[in-house]
Amino acid sequence: MAAAAVLVRQGERVLCREAVKMRSFPKLYSSQDRQRLVTGDGDSLHTVHRPRRRWPADDISQANKEEGNHMLHIDEQGMIMNAGIMPRRFNQIERQPLHQVQGIIVHQTGSSSATSTFNSYTRANANGAHFLIDKDGTIYQTASVKKRTNHVGSLLARCLAEVRCKPSEFSRSPQAPQSSLVDRMHKLEMQKSVPVRYPSNADSLGIEIVGMPSLPPGKSAPANATPLEKERYFNQHAVYEAVNNAQNVSLQWLVNQLIASLSIPQTEVFRHPDVSRKNPTEASTATWQ
């Protein structure tokens, strides 16, 4: 492993090839650490122990300006090696191999912190996305880009949104005998390919943005509602908090880098509610163009 370096941040091991490139990021590394990273015997690993370091959006923006539009380096395990992305992989959310990435789906976590979402990812067979953007703009990679994760759900019909088909085409039939319209529509859509249908779990990357939904002032479920009724009321009336500027800066950088590196069409980036039956306010304030 020539000219490699290991930087330990928040108890994690971050592998960075071609350590000499660290000199290009003066705002991200101290001069002392850069010197320690780029000197040595070439093939050895240099470990730098540093205080907890966050990666806010202004550092991401600066790194982007200095690094230019270079392709992301993706290792054999599907992990991205870039100063602007912190690895925090959870095997529990990974599924089958992801052979071709044809789209990106932008989500909000429904939680108040990255830690809360990370905790949910530790459960066996948990659902999750490939990346997470924290409140301060820190980008984490939480799954290999060579593995599927369950982050989309049942697909909506893209042809309906684009007025290329009629609702009657999703009526129950011998070819689609499911009693549920949701299941029936998803099965029929998955017989199509992107871009005729929306990207799915089988061919998309997911980006989670930390953000909570809450009920607007004056809204509350009936006092005598059952727990299930209260949950339904919340899901129908809750509004997600706005994506902040630091998160949107990081989202734009990440989406642009993934598009360039994986040859994803710009037309195949969607908010979660656009492609599946989700709260319409989820990621409604996310911007990436």
Side-chain angles (χ1 to χ4, degrees), residues 227-282:
L228 181 58
E229 290 171 338
K230 289 181 179 179
E231 180 180 353
R232 288 174 178 168
Y233 184 93
F234 183 87
N235 291 337
Q236 291 173 357
H237 297 92
V239 176
Y240 273 84
E241 65 181 286
V243 176
N244 67 39
N245 182 66
Q247 291 173 318
N248 272 327
V249 168
S250 293
L251 176 64
Q252 181 178 6
W253 179 83
L254 179 59
V255 167
N256 288 338
Q257 291 290 316
L258 293 172
I259 284 175
S261 301
L262 299 173
S263 301
I264 302 169
Q266 291 187 355
T267 56
E268 300 308 308
V269 184
F270 298 96
R271 296 176 179 85
H272 197 191
D274 293 336
V275 304
S276 190
R277 290 170 172 81
K278 301 298 176 181
N279 185 310
T281 67
E282 181 186 349

